[in-house]
Amino acid sequence: MTAAHQKPTIPAPTEAAAPTRRQLIQRGAAGAALFAGLGHLPVWAAGSDAPEKKEVKIGFIPLTDCASVVMASVLGIDQKYGVKIIPTKEASWPGVRDKLVNGELDMAHVLWGLIYGVHLGTAGPKKDMAVLMNLNHNGQAITLSKKVADKGAVDAASLAKLMASDKREYTFAQTFPTGTHAMWLYYWLASVGVQPLKDTKVITVPPPQMVANMRVGNMDGYCVGEPWGHRAIADGIGITAATTQDIWKDHPEKALGTSAEFAQKYPNTCRAVIAAILEASKWIDAGLQNKLKMAETVADRAYVNTSVDVINQRILGRYQNGLGKTWDDPNHMKFFNDGYVNMPYLSDGMWFLTQHKRWGLIKDHPDYLAVAQQINKIDLYRQGAAAAKVNVPKDVMRSSKLIDGVVWDGKNPKAYAEGFKVQAA
């Protein structure tokens, strides 16, 4: 391995002998505090910390929040950790799912709920899956068509009022049945008493196709990641009724997902990719110029394929709703936030399970904590963060208050799931 391909904080072992326990401890000194939380030393494959797989195919959907994966590759950060990330553009979330399951993709920028759904067999073929890290907080939006906005529906309350007075079939789109956008949409509608699966028609549309479908009148509203919320405003066909950070400040969004089999077979590769993406995430959030450079990069045809100005405004927290209102949102899309973004909190995964139960996607209560512990690879994440010298939150659970005033802390997931007034029968 050349110097350019070595991890920055952990020198490669010599060929003379496998590293001793003492050498491993010395190599991990930079991240000692983080490793201490694991309760054991990292187990290096074949006595080496070198990635077992040098090229890693990571699927992504054309969304702004693929940026940390893309920039880790474009900036060459991946090479510092001994891997080459090959970002692979995908057309839909079902396509990402299928390629993760059959091994065509090594990893993916992916919806949390897709990984959990595949693991439980509610989102297609059942396969044990893994979340290696969270990629971003915030930055999705619920868009309503100009047609309903012109009738007064500009937020959840006024939409519910319109639906009650102007009765017809209302159609809303999400991106994957067990995914994040479906859960944000359902939670938002339910917060004003609308039962999304009974009172509306819900369809699944790939993110890049949302705007075109709204343009031809196929839906009254949709929930998707940026830049497809702002694109509807730029094209004059929709308005932003809510951002997802309005629903849940600093919510989990995309994960770096893989199969449990891949994580078990290639742990050093996983650690290296985690470290590279963490460093890219830190670079994006470091300042205005980096964010603008990122926007220029991901706007390219090879990635999101849209104009730069559709991406860069909301990346900087500069929002408009399409009705003349503008504001600066401090809770815009974040990729790092001193490592707070990237921790794969167990409670985050558990929350998606509570919503899957709420909406009848799973019939019985699972062992919420046990499932999250199976999927979220906390140890691998901590080790990758140590290599990148990134702070790791001590707690694997966190507490948040959502738009309806209900607090989620992961302590009693069964009671939480059963406590909603609006849910599937």
Side-chain angles (χ1 to χ4, degrees):
M1 188 186 297
T2 65
H5 285 75
Q6 289 176 3
K7 282 185 176 181
T9 58
I10 307 178
T14 64
E15 295 180 2
T20 64
R21 187 174 190 276
R22 181 182 179 82
Q23 287 170 328
L24 284 174
I25 294 172
Q26 289 172 338
R27 289 175 194 171
L34 302 177
F35 284 139
L38 298 176
H40 57 77
L41 282 169
V43 180
W44 305 116
S48 169
D49 66 342
E52 309 88 351
K53 193 173 170 68
K54 303 304 181 187
E55 289 193 352
V56 185
K57 288 179 67 175
I58 304 184
F60 71 92
I61 292 289
L63 292 160
T64 304
D65 51 31
C66 73
S68 55
V69 171
V70 170
M71 297 312 295
S73 172
V74 169
L75 296 172
I77 295 170
D78 51 354
Q79 296 175 40
K80 289 177 58 176
Y81 296 94
V83 291
K84 181 176 176 57
I85 291 173
I86 303 172
T88 306
K89 188 173 181 176
E90 304 296 333
S92 69
W93 291 121
V96 170
R97 173 199 61 198
D98 295 345
K99 290 183 179 182
L100 277 178
V101 167
N102 68 26
E104 285 182 64
L105 291 173
D106 298 319
M107 303 176 184
H109 148 261
V110 68
L111 304 162
W112 272 81
L114 185 153
I115 294 293
Y116 271 68
V118 171
H119 190 88
L120 292 180
T122 57
K126 187 178 187 302
K127 186 180 179 75
D128 287 350
M129 300 299 285
V131 165
L132 300 179
M133 64 186 293
N134 189 59
L135 294 177
N136 68 293
H137 283 165
N138 310 324
Q140 323 297 293
I142 293 174
T143 299
L144 294 178
S145 71
K146 269 293 182 69
K147 180 181 174 182
V148 296
D150 288 345
K151 292 185 177 181
V154 297
D155 56 21
S158 54
L159 173 65
K161 186 176 179 181
L162 176 66
M163 290 174 66
S165 63
D166 184 10
K167 293 188 180 295
R168 61 175 177 84
E169 183 176 73
Y170 287 80
T171 301
F172 294 91
Q174 39 77 19
T175 65
F176 191 81
T178 62
T180 56
H181 303 116
M183 299 307 109
W184 311 141
L185 176 66
Y186 298 172
Y187 206 100
W188 181 74
L189 289 169
S191 72
V192 291
V194 175
Q195 209 283 33
L197 303 180
K198 185 179 73 176
D199 301 337
T200 77
K201 179 183 178 183
V202 178
I203 60 174
T204 302
V205 175
Q209 296 176 25
M210 286 292 191
V211 175
N213 273 273
M214 179 168 278
R215 184 178 288 112
V216 297
N218 286 346
M219 80 268 281
D220 297 290
Y222 62 73
C223 183
V224 72
E226 293 300 341
W228 307 120
H230 193 187
R231 179 86 254 177
I233 292 172
D235 290 359
I237 63 165
I239 63 110
T240 294
T243 66
T244 50
Q245 53 265 32
D246 292 334
I247 299 168
W248 177 358
K249 178 188 169 185
D250 293 337
H251 64 78
E253 185 45 47
K254 303 304 185 300
L256 181 65
T258 187
S259 66
E261 179 184 12
F262 187 94
Q264 185 172 10
K265 190 174 181 181
Y266 303 111
N268 296 347
T269 305
C270 290
R271 281 188 280 263
V273 172
I274 290 166
I277 293 177
L278 277 171
E279 191 169 325
S281 302
K282 183 177 182 179
W283 179 89
I284 292 168
D285 275 9
L288 173 66
Q289 292 306 314
N290 289 5
K291 289 177 181 176
L292 294 176
K293 172 66 175 174
M294 176 275 279
E296 283 181 25
T297 303
V298 301
D300 188 80
R301 192 172 188 174
Y303 304 114
V304 178
N305 190 24
T306 192
S307 56
V308 177
D309 59 354
V310 168
I311 293 178
N312 63 19
Q313 294 302 299
R314 290 192 172 185
I315 274 295
L316 300 174
R318 297 169 186 165
Y319 277 77
Q320 55 176 298
N321 69 350
L323 295 167
K325 178 186 175 185
T326 61
W327 71 99
D328 289 328
D329 191 338
N331 303 314
H332 55 78
M333 187 183 292
K334 293 176 183 173
F335 292 88
F336 185 64
N337 199 7
D338 196 26
Y340 176 61
V341 168
N342 311 105
M343 178 72 168
Y345 293 97
L346 297 180
S347 55
D348 285 2
M350 291 164 66
W351 184 86
F352 288 108
L353 291 177
T354 68
Q355 299 309 296
H356 293 173
K357 178 65 178 71
R358 177 185 184 182
W359 303 118
L361 296 166
I362 50 180
K363 187 176 288 187
D364 302 313
H365 289 284
D367 186 333
Y368 292 92
L369 180 58
V371 172
Q373 288 171 330
Q374 288 167 14
I375 296 174
N376 295 18
K377 303 304 179 186
I378 303 290
D379 283 10
L380 282 177
Y381 175 75
R382 283 178 168 152
Q383 293 161 11
K389 298 182 180 178
V390 166
N391 290 327
V392 177
K394 291 181 181 179
D395 203 339
V396 295
M397 309 287 271
R398 63 177 181 142
S399 178
S400 304
K401 181 185 287 189
L402 276 67
I403 192 173
D404 54 4
V406 179
V407 172
W408 164 247
D409 58 16
K411 290 178 181 176
N412 193 342
K414 182 178 178 181
Y416 179 85
E418 290 178 345
F420 294 101
K421 291 180 180 178
V422 179
Q423 55 181 285

PDB file of all heavy atoms in Angstrom, residues 240-259:
ATOM      1  N   THR A 240     -43.912  24.833  -0.967  1.00  0.00           N
ATOM      2  CA  THR A 240     -43.448  24.080   0.196  1.00  0.00           C
ATOM      3  C   THR A 240     -44.414  24.311   1.349  1.00  0.00           C
ATOM      4  O   THR A 240     -44.518  25.427   1.865  1.00  0.00           O
ATOM      5  CB  THR A 240     -42.022  24.499   0.589  1.00  0.00           C
ATOM      6  OG1 THR A 240     -41.119  24.126  -0.461  1.00  0.00           O
ATOM      7  CG2 THR A 240     -41.592  23.808   1.883  1.00  0.00           C
ATOM      8  N   ALA A 241     -45.110  23.245   1.735  1.00  0.00           N
ATOM      9  CA  ALA A 241     -46.059  23.340   2.841  1.00  0.00           C
ATOM     10  C   ALA A 241     -45.383  23.087   4.186  1.00  0.00           C
ATOM     11  O   ALA A 241     -45.838  23.585   5.220  1.00  0.00           O
ATOM     12  CB  ALA A 241     -47.191  22.338   2.640  1.00  0.00           C
ATOM     13  N   ALA A 242     -44.321  22.297   4.172  1.00  0.00           N
ATOM     14  CA  ALA A 242     -43.585  21.999   5.400  1.00  0.00           C
ATOM     15  C   ALA A 242     -42.220  21.455   5.030  1.00  0.00           C
ATOM     16  O   ALA A 242     -42.053  20.817   3.983  1.00  0.00           O
ATOM     17  CB  ALA A 242     -44.324  20.965   6.250  1.00  0.00           C
ATOM     18  N   THR A 243     -41.249  21.737   5.868  1.00  0.00           N
ATOM     19  CA  THR A 243     -39.967  21.045   5.755  1.00  0.00           C
ATOM     20  C   THR A 243     -39.994  19.902   6.762  1.00  0.00           C
ATOM     21  O   THR A 243     -40.737  19.939   7.743  1.00  0.00           O
ATOM     22  CB  THR A 243     -38.779  21.967   6.063  1.00  0.00           C
ATOM     23  OG1 THR A 243     -38.831  22.347   7.451  1.00  0.00           O
ATOM     24  CG2 THR A 243     -38.799  23.205   5.187  1.00  0.00           C
ATOM     25  N   THR A 244     -39.165  18.901   6.514  1.00  0.00           N
ATOM     26  CA  THR A 244     -39.177  17.762   7.449  1.00  0.00           C
ATOM     27  C   THR A 244     -38.548  18.124   8.788  1.00  0.00           C
ATOM     28  O   THR A 244     -38.877  17.502   9.805  1.00  0.00           O
ATOM     29  CB  THR A 244     -38.465  16.548   6.825  1.00  0.00           C
ATOM     30  OG1 THR A 244     -37.179  16.962   6.305  1.00  0.00           O
ATOM     31  CG2 THR A 244     -39.293  15.973   5.698  1.00  0.00           C
ATOM     32  N   GLN A 245     -37.690  19.153   8.801  1.00  0.00           N
ATOM     33  CA  GLN A 245     -37.172  19.606  10.091  1.00  0.00           C
ATOM     34  C   GLN A 245     -38.258  20.298  10.911  1.00  0.00           C
ATOM     35  O   GLN A 245     -38.132  20.414  12.133  1.00  0.00           O
ATOM     36  CB  GLN A 245     -35.947  20.501   9.914  1.00  0.00           C
ATOM     37  CG  GLN A 245     -36.098  21.679   8.977  1.00  0.00           C
ATOM     38  CD  GLN A 245     -35.619  21.382   7.564  1.00  0.00           C
ATOM     39  OE1 GLN A 245     -35.713  20.266   7.091  1.00  0.00           O
ATOM     40  NE2 GLN A 245     -35.094  22.394   6.886  1.00  0.00           N
ATOM     41  N   ASP A 246     -39.345  20.741  10.251  1.00  0.00           N
ATOM     42  CA  ASP A 246     -40.512  21.225  10.994  1.00  0.00           C
ATOM     43  C   ASP A 246     -41.194  20.057  11.715  1.00  0.00           C
ATOM     44  O   ASP A 246     -41.795  20.240  12.780  1.00  0.00           O
ATOM     45  CB  ASP A 246     -41.547  21.853  10.046  1.00  0.00           C
ATOM     46  CG  ASP A 246     -41.075  23.150   9.415  1.00  0.00           C
ATOM     47  OD1 ASP A 246     -40.216  23.827  10.021  1.00  0.00           O
ATOM     48  OD2 ASP A 246     -41.562  23.481   8.318  1.00  0.00           O
ATOM     49  N   ILE A 247     -41.138  18.900  11.120  1.00  0.00           N
ATOM     50  CA  ILE A 247     -41.774  17.710  11.689  1.00  0.00           C
ATOM     51  C   ILE A 247     -40.931  17.132  12.815  1.00  0.00           C
ATOM     52  O   ILE A 247     -41.445  16.769  13.867  1.00  0.00           O
ATOM     53  CB  ILE A 247     -42.007  16.652  10.585  1.00  0.00           C
ATOM     54  CG1 ILE A 247     -42.935  17.219   9.509  1.00  0.00           C
ATOM     55  CG2 ILE A 247     -42.585  15.358  11.170  1.00  0.00           C
ATOM     56  CD1 ILE A 247     -43.005  16.377   8.248  1.00  0.00           C
ATOM     57  N   TRP A 248     -39.614  17.085  12.580  1.00  0.00           N
ATOM     58  CA  TRP A 248     -38.691  16.532  13.577  1.00  0.00           C
ATOM     59  C   TRP A 248     -37.343  17.200  13.348  1.00  0.00           C
ATOM     60  O   TRP A 248     -36.658  16.893  12.379  1.00  0.00           O
ATOM     61  CB  TRP A 248     -38.599  15.024  13.435  1.00  0.00           C
ATOM     62  CG  TRP A 248     -37.630  14.318  14.348  1.00  0.00           C
ATOM     63  CD1 TRP A 248     -36.790  14.881  15.257  1.00  0.00           C
ATOM     64  CD2 TRP A 248     -37.394  12.897  14.433  1.00  0.00           C
ATOM     65  NE1 TRP A 248     -36.049  13.920  15.904  1.00  0.00           N
ATOM     66  CE2 TRP A 248     -36.408  12.701  15.420  1.00  0.00           C
ATOM     67  CE3 TRP A 248     -37.926  11.794  13.762  1.00  0.00           C
ATOM     68  CZ2 TRP A 248     -35.932  11.430  15.757  1.00  0.00           C
ATOM     69  CZ3 TRP A 248     -37.461  10.531  14.104  1.00  0.00           C
ATOM     70  CH2 TRP A 248     -36.484  10.342  15.080  1.00  0.00           C
ATOM     71  N   LYS A 249     -36.984  18.110  14.229  1.00  0.00           N
ATOM     72  CA  LYS A 249     -35.691  18.776  14.120  1.00  0.00           C
ATOM     73  C   LYS A 249     -34.564  17.757  14.247  1.00  0.00           C
ATOM     74  O   LYS A 249     -34.539  16.955  15.182  1.00  0.00           O
ATOM     75  CB  LYS A 249     -35.556  19.855  15.210  1.00  0.00           C
ATOM     76  CG  LYS A 249     -34.214  20.566  15.199  1.00  0.00           C
ATOM     77  CD  LYS A 249     -34.061  21.468  16.412  1.00  0.00           C
ATOM     78  CE  LYS A 249     -32.631  21.949  16.538  1.00  0.00           C
ATOM     79  NZ  LYS A 249     -32.415  22.732  17.775  1.00  0.00           N
ATOM     80  N   ASP A 250     -33.640  17.807  13.293  1.00  0.00           N
ATOM     81  CA  ASP A 250     -32.476  16.916  13.269  1.00  0.00           C
ATOM     82  C   ASP A 250     -32.865  15.440  13.165  1.00  0.00           C
ATOM     83  O   ASP A 250     -32.250  14.565  13.789  1.00  0.00           O
ATOM     84  CB  ASP A 250     -31.575  17.145  14.491  1.00  0.00           C
ATOM     85  CG  ASP A 250     -30.914  18.515  14.464  1.00  0.00           C
ATOM     86  OD1 ASP A 250     -30.790  19.096  13.366  1.00  0.00           O
ATOM     87  OD2 ASP A 250     -30.513  19.010  15.538  1.00  0.00           O
ATOM     88  N   HIS A 251     -33.874  15.184  12.343  1.00  0.00           N
ATOM     89  CA  HIS A 251     -34.297  13.797  12.151  1.00  0.00           C
ATOM     90  C   HIS A 251     -33.260  13.013  11.337  1.00  0.00           C
ATOM     91  O   HIS A 251     -32.521  13.589  10.524  1.00  0.00           O
ATOM     92  CB  HIS A 251     -35.652  13.756  11.431  1.00  0.00           C
ATOM     93  CG  HIS A 251     -35.627  14.308  10.035  1.00  0.00           C
ATOM     94  ND1 HIS A 251     -35.142  13.612   8.947  1.00  0.00           N
ATOM     95  CD2 HIS A 251     -36.032  15.508   9.539  1.00  0.00           C
ATOM     96  CE1 HIS A 251     -35.253  14.339   7.853  1.00  0.00           C
ATOM     97  NE2 HIS A 251     -35.784  15.501   8.178  1.00  0.00           N
ATOM     98  N   PRO A 252     -33.217  11.695  11.535  1.00  0.00           N
ATOM     99  CA  PRO A 252     -32.363  10.863  10.688  1.00  0.00           C
ATOM    100  C   PRO A 252     -32.943  10.853   9.279  1.00  0.00           C
ATOM    101  O   PRO A 252     -34.152  10.945   9.104  1.00  0.00           O
ATOM    102  CB  PRO A 252     -32.467   9.478  11.341  1.00  0.00           C
ATOM    103  CG  PRO A 252     -33.823   9.482  11.988  1.00  0.00           C
ATOM    104  CD  PRO A 252     -34.030  10.900  12.466  1.00  0.00           C
ATOM    105  N   GLU A 253     -32.098  10.751   8.283  1.00  0.00           N
ATOM    106  CA  GLU A 253     -32.630  10.739   6.920  1.00  0.00           C
ATOM    107  C   GLU A 253     -32.016   9.605   6.114  1.00  0.00           C
ATOM    108  O   GLU A 253     -32.468   8.482   6.206  1.00  0.00           O
ATOM    109  CB  GLU A 253     -32.413  12.099   6.250  1.00  0.00           C
ATOM    110  CG  GLU A 253     -33.034  12.225   4.868  1.00  0.00           C
ATOM    111  CD  GLU A 253     -34.449  11.693   4.776  1.00  0.00           C
ATOM    112  OE1 GLU A 253     -35.293  12.006   5.635  1.00  0.00           O
ATOM    113  OE2 GLU A 253     -34.732  10.929   3.837  1.00  0.00           O
ATOM    114  N   LYS A 254     -30.954   9.845   5.384  1.00  0.00           N
ATOM    115  CA  LYS A 254     -30.342   8.738   4.650  1.00  0.00           C
ATOM    116  C   LYS A 254     -29.292   8.063   5.530  1.00  0.00           C
ATOM    117  O   LYS A 254     -28.641   8.702   6.361  1.00  0.00           O
ATOM    118  CB  LYS A 254     -29.685   9.228   3.357  1.00  0.00           C
ATOM    119  CG  LYS A 254     -30.619   9.950   2.420  1.00  0.00           C
ATOM    120  CD  LYS A 254     -31.843   9.131   2.024  1.00  0.00           C
ATOM    121  CE  LYS A 254     -32.683   9.861   0.995  1.00  0.00           C
ATOM    122  NZ  LYS A 254     -33.190  11.170   1.460  1.00  0.00           N
ATOM    123  N   ALA A 255     -29.145   6.775   5.292  1.00  0.00           N
ATOM    124  CA  ALA A 255     -28.123   5.989   5.975  1.00  0.00           C
ATOM    125  C   ALA A 255     -27.130   5.478   4.948  1.00  0.00           C
ATOM    126  O   ALA A 255     -27.416   5.427   3.742  1.00  0.00           O
ATOM    127  CB  ALA A 255     -28.765   4.810   6.710  1.00  0.00           C
ATOM    128  N   LEU A 256     -25.959   5.101   5.416  1.00  0.00           N
ATOM    129  CA  LEU A 256     -25.058   4.288   4.607  1.00  0.00           C
ATOM    130  C   LEU A 256     -25.406   2.846   4.955  1.00  0.00           C
ATOM    131  O   LEU A 256     -25.153   2.381   6.060  1.00  0.00           O
ATOM    132  CB  LEU A 256     -23.597   4.587   4.933  1.00  0.00           C
ATOM    133  CG  LEU A 256     -22.574   3.783   4.108  1.00  0.00           C
ATOM    134  CD1 LEU A 256     -22.653   4.157   2.622  1.00  0.00           C
ATOM    135  CD2 LEU A 256     -21.156   4.000   4.636  1.00  0.00           C
ATOM    136  N   GLY A 257     -26.047   2.175   4.004  1.00  0.00           N
ATOM    137  CA  GLY A 257     -26.560   0.834   4.265  1.00  0.00           C
ATOM    138  C   GLY A 257     -25.827  -0.221   3.470  1.00  0.00           C
ATOM    139  O   GLY A 257     -25.272   0.031   2.399  1.00  0.00           O
ATOM    140  N   THR A 258     -25.831  -1.427   3.994  1.00  0.00           N
ATOM    141  CA  THR A 258     -25.252  -2.585   3.316  1.00  0.00           C
ATOM    142  C   THR A 258     -25.926  -3.830   3.862  1.00  0.00           C
ATOM    143  O   THR A 258     -26.813  -3.745   4.710  1.00  0.00           O
ATOM    144  CB  THR A 258     -23.725  -2.629   3.524  1.00  0.00           C
ATOM    145  OG1 THR A 258     -23.163  -3.673   2.726  1.00  0.00           O
ATOM    146  CG2 THR A 258     -23.355  -2.869   4.981  1.00  0.00           C
ATOM    147  N   SER A 259     -25.520  -4.966   3.368  1.00  0.00           N
ATOM    148  CA  SER A 259     -26.052  -6.213   3.923  1.00  0.00           C
ATOM    149  C   SER A 259     -25.230  -6.588   5.151  1.00  0.00           C
ATOM    150  O   SER A 259     -24.050  -6.226   5.276  1.00  0.00           O
ATOM    151  CB  SER A 259     -25.979  -7.341   2.890  1.00  0.00           C
ATOM    152  OG  SER A 259     -24.634  -7.664   2.601  1.00  0.00           O
TER     153      SER A 259
END
